[in-house]
């Protein structure tokens, strides 16, 4: 899941930073409409114990995140409650890439020094009041520890959050229970995220700058990259784990001309998922901008496109089954939402039709997708701007004619709150667009994989291929990396 940035305060003081062009690209002629380098570097603070060691070559989310954070478009500061193992230099200068709190000296502010990998060190301070408040916030976290030890840790957690605020970080990568619990401290303009959420946010940022990184070594020495469309195709292949069955079905198809038709439909399904993933990035970029009219309009356009692309993938899966099993009638009549076509499929003794029977979870997924996709023919999904203090957002309003049916399906699929649907201000219902899109994507991917997994074994030739067989771009490491960066 791609999480949203924290928009809990006024515009920050962070200023644009135009990085130098990589030496390898200096002097390269540029097309007129090519995008510029990033407007501002991503600033990250991370608890040091969550990052991998420089010599870690494992295929893990921690190793990938550590490598991505060495990218020149990112400014990383590591943090540790006890300070870096090497300590401060004799003149009080911190190690490069670290933020270090100075020992308390009885003043209202506690000294903080930090130094990015490029540039000199900076001295500032954090308030002691916030940490003192956290210390007295009994019962908020660490209930399994003695009272004094729990208070000590809450204080350290609050100081860490204050450090992230003081250095004007965009992200603070941490797993501190107090900061994710019912804390009573305010962390303005800093997004707290665990390692999986950090991977999705860093990945989205780099893709927004035209950087499609397949892997990056933890020590920052580099790794393979891809072009835009190859990156999303690797992601789609990684998320459609059962797609190999359809390649086997194409090989086993007995009817003349059928393999070509099946290959075309498999390619259509994959292409729709690729396009939906690419549009999902555009959607999240707009969602993480200040929610003003242009950003909200972009969100609604991208939402329409996502719904159309995902529904297209689902329809392609029905046509594939229609052609493969030689179901009676024209393949244009095929559709999992069409009871008549499912009846003809059931008449052939195929259990596939039961996947979408009344009350089945996949039927609820299909209802949500199809009803909202059909809004492109009628009343559109709307978003209403609202202001709550310094936070402005634009929740979705479901079309009245479909609202009750869609909500009933959400209730059957983990509850409407999991889909971002909550009572709105002044009555009615408000749906968080980011939460809704993430739930829908995951649900539709489960649907597509379930259909492919239920393909009759008699029509599938061969076994699941080795993860590292085939083109090197689709290696297991690359598939894991891209799916992690996409938030799955």
């Amino acid at each position: 899941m791609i999480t949203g940035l924290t928009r809990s305060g006024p515009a920050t003081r962070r200023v644009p930073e135009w990085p130098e062009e990589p030496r390898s690209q200096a002097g390269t002629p540029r097309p007129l409409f090519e995008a510029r380098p990033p407007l501002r570097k991503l600033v990250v603070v991370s608890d040091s114990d969550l990052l991998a060691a420089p010599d870690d070559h494992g295929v893990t989310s921690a190793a990938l995140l550590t490598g991505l954070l060495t990218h020149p478009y990112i400014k990383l500061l590591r943090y540790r409650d006890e300070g870096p193992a090497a300590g401060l230099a004799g003149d009080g200068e911190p190690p490069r890439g670290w933020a270090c709190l100075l020992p308390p000296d009885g003043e209202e502010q506690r000294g903080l020094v930090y130094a990015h990998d490029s540039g000199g060190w900076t001295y500032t301070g954090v308030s002691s009041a916030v940490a003192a408040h956290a210390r007295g916030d009994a019962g908020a976290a660490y209930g399994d520890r003695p009272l004094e030890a729990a208070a000590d840790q809450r204080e350290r957690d609050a100081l860490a959050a204050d450090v992230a605020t003081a250095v004007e970080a965009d992200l603070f990568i941490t797993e501190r229970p107090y900061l994710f619990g019912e804390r009573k401290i305010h962390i303005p303009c800093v997004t707290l995220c665990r390692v999986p959420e950090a991977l999705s946010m860093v990945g989205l940022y780099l893709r927004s700058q035209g950087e499609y990184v397949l892997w990056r070594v933890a020590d920052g020495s580099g790794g393979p990259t891809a072009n835009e469309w190859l990156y999303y195709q690797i992601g789609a292949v990684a998320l459609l784990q059962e797609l190999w069955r359809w390649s086997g079905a194409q090989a086993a198809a007995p009817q003349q001309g059928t393999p070509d038709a099946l290959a075309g439909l498999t390619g259509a399904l994959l292409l729709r998922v690729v396009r939906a993933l690419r549009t999902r990035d555009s959607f999240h970029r707009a969602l993480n901008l200040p929610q003003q009219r242009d950003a909200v309009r972009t969100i609604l356009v991208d939402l329409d496109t996502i719904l159309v692309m995902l529904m297209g993938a689902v329809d392609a899966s029905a046509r594939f089954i229609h052609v493969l099993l030689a179901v009676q009638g024209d393949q244009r009549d095929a559709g999992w939402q069409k009871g008549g076509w499912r009846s003809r499929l059931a008449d052939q003794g195929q259990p596939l039709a039961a996947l979408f029977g009344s009350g089945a979870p996949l039927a609820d997924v299909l209802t949500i997708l199809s009803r909202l996709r059909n809004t492109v023919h009628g009343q559109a999904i709307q978003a209403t701007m609202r202001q709550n203090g310094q936070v402005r957002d634009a929740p979705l309003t479901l079309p009245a004619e479909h609202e009750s049916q869609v909500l009933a399906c959400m209730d059957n699929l983990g509850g409407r709150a999991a889909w971002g649907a909550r009572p709105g201000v002044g009555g009615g219902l408000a749906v968080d667009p980011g939460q809704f899109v993430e739930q829908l994507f995951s649900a539709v991917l489960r649907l597509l994989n379930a259909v492919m997994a239920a393909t009759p074994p008699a029509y599938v030739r061969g076994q699941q291929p080795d993860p590292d067989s085939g083109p090197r771009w689709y290696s297991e490491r690359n598939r894991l990396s891209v799916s992690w960066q996409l938030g799955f």
Side-chain angles (χ1 to χ4, degrees):
M1 175 176 290
I2 295 180
T3 57
L5 290 175
T6 296
R7 296 191 297 265
S8 58
T12 67
R13 294 174 293 168
R14 301 163 195 149
V15 296
E17 295 177 89
W18 295 93
E20 293 184 8
E21 188 173 37
R23 185 173 300 176
S24 60
Q25 300 178 20
T28 303
R30 298 295 185 191
L32 177 61
F33 292 105
E34 185 175 67
R36 297 182 73 179
L39 178 62
R40 180 170 68 76
K41 292 184 179 182
L42 176 66
V43 182
V44 179
V45 171
S46 177
D47 281 327
S48 62
D49 62 319
L50 298 180
L51 301 181
D55 59 352
D56 186 344
H57 295 283
V59 182
T60 65
S61 56
L64 175 61
L65 177 61
T66 305
L68 293 178
L69 292 175
T70 66
H71 192 282
Y73 292 173
I74 297 174
K75 297 169 71 173
L76 169 67
L77 289 171
R78 297 170 185 257
Y79 180 80
R80 184 167 171 261
D81 290 337
E82 301 80 9
L88 298 176
D91 57 359
E93 184 174 345
R96 294 280 182 185
W98 278 85
C100 307
L101 272 177
L102 301 179
D105 56 7
E107 298 294 329
E108 281 191 21
Q109 283 212 330
R110 186 164 170 183
L112 168 68
V113 291
Y114 62 94
H116 295 287
D117 284 333
S118 59
W121 62 273
T122 302
Y123 176 85
T124 184
V126 300
S127 170
S128 300
V130 175
H133 179 84
R135 184 176 188 86
D137 194 6
Y142 307 113
D144 57 335
R145 302 185 187 184
L147 293 178
E148 193 67 14
D152 288 344
Q153 188 59 59
R154 288 195 301 273
E155 180 179 17
R156 288 191 286 266
D157 291 356
L159 285 170
D162 265 359
V163 167
T165 302
V167 303
E168 299 182 344
D170 297 295
L171 307 181
F172 177 24
I173 305 171
T174 183
E175 294 183 353
R176 298 170 185 261
Y178 177 60
L179 300 184
F180 286 102
E182 297 296 325
R183 66 179 189 273
K184 303 297 191 300
I185 60 172
H186 182 50
I187 310 174
C189 302
V190 178
T191 300
L192 300 177
C193 49
R194 299 178 176 89
V195 168
E197 291 88 4
L199 266 173
S200 70
M201 291 303 296
V202 172
L204 178 65
Y205 170 79
L206 290 174
R207 294 193 299 276
S208 299
Q209 314 307 329
E211 294 287 301
Y212 298 91
V213 181
L214 296 180
W215 193 262
R216 193 171 176 89
V217 183
D219 64 5
S221 59
T225 61
N227 63 49
E228 180 180 6
W229 287 97
L230 175 59
Y231 182 98
Y232 290 114
Q233 180 147 315
I234 293 170
V237 169
L239 297 171
L240 297 170
Q241 301 98 331
E242 304 295 337
L243 191 63
W244 67 272
R245 297 177 186 273
W246 280 13
S247 299
Q250 293 165 32
Q255 301 97 329
Q256 185 176 3
T258 299
D260 289 342
L262 294 177
L265 289 167
T266 303
L269 183 150
L270 182 62
L271 181 61
R272 299 300 188 275
V273 173
V274 168
R275 290 175 177 174
L277 288 170
R278 184 176 182 270
T279 305
R280 172 176 171 261
D281 270 3
S282 172
F283 171 90
H284 278 292
R285 284 194 293 270
L287 188 64
N288 282 302
L289 291 172
Q291 294 299 276
Q292 299 170 346
R293 294 188 184 279
D294 283 350
V296 173
R297 287 166 179 159
T298 299
I299 288 168
L300 294 175
V301 170
D302 288 340
L303 177 58
D304 271 354
T305 304
I306 289 169
L307 291 168
V308 170
M309 289 298 106
L310 291 180
M311 192 69 222
V314 172
D315 286 343
S317 74
R319 291 194 179 197
F320 182 98
I321 294 299
H322 180 98
V323 173
L324 178 68
L325 304 184
V327 179
Q328 184 181 0
D330 193 299
Q331 68 165 285
R332 289 174 294 183
D333 297 330
W336 299 112
Q337 70 276 29
K338 298 178 181 180
W341 181 78
R342 291 202 315 273
S343 295
R344 295 200 298 275
L345 191 61
D347 289 342
Q348 294 187 200
Q350 297 296 341
L352 272 162
L355 292 175
F356 297 91
S358 178
L362 294 186
D364 290 324
V365 174
L366 183 58
T367 296
I368 295 172
L369 176 61
S370 61
R371 294 296 182 270
L372 296 184
R373 188 288 306 266
N374 286 344
T375 60
V376 300
H377 305 299
Q379 180 187 356
I381 300 172
Q382 301 291 328
T384 304
M385 303 280 290
R386 66 181 185 183
Q387 187 90 23
N388 182 12
Q390 294 178 332
V391 179
R392 176 186 289 177
D393 61 2
L396 304 176
T397 302
L398 299 176
E401 62 178 316
H402 301 306
E403 183 180 81
S404 60
Q405 189 178 19
V406 167
L407 289 176
C409 293
M410 288 179 176
D411 288 337
N412 295 336
L413 295 168
R416 63 185 67 181
W419 288 75
R422 294 174 179 83
V425 178
L429 202 74
V431 181
D432 178 86
Q435 199 170 345
F436 171 77
V437 163
E438 293 304 279
Q439 285 289 339
L440 181 68
F441 241 98
S442 295
V444 173
L445 289 170
R446 288 195 303 271
L447 183 157
L448 294 171
N449 279 306
V451 169
M452 291 184 283
T455 303
Y459 292 86
V460 179
R461 179 179 296 167
Q463 301 294 321
Q464 184 171 11
D466 183 276
D468 283 315
S469 66
R472 65 184 178 89
W473 296 112
Y474 298 91
S475 68
E476 184 176 22
R477 188 186 72 174
N478 287 351
R479 294 200 307 272
L480 281 172
S481 171
V482 174
S483 60
W484 287 336
Q485 291 182 67
L486 289 170
F488 293 99

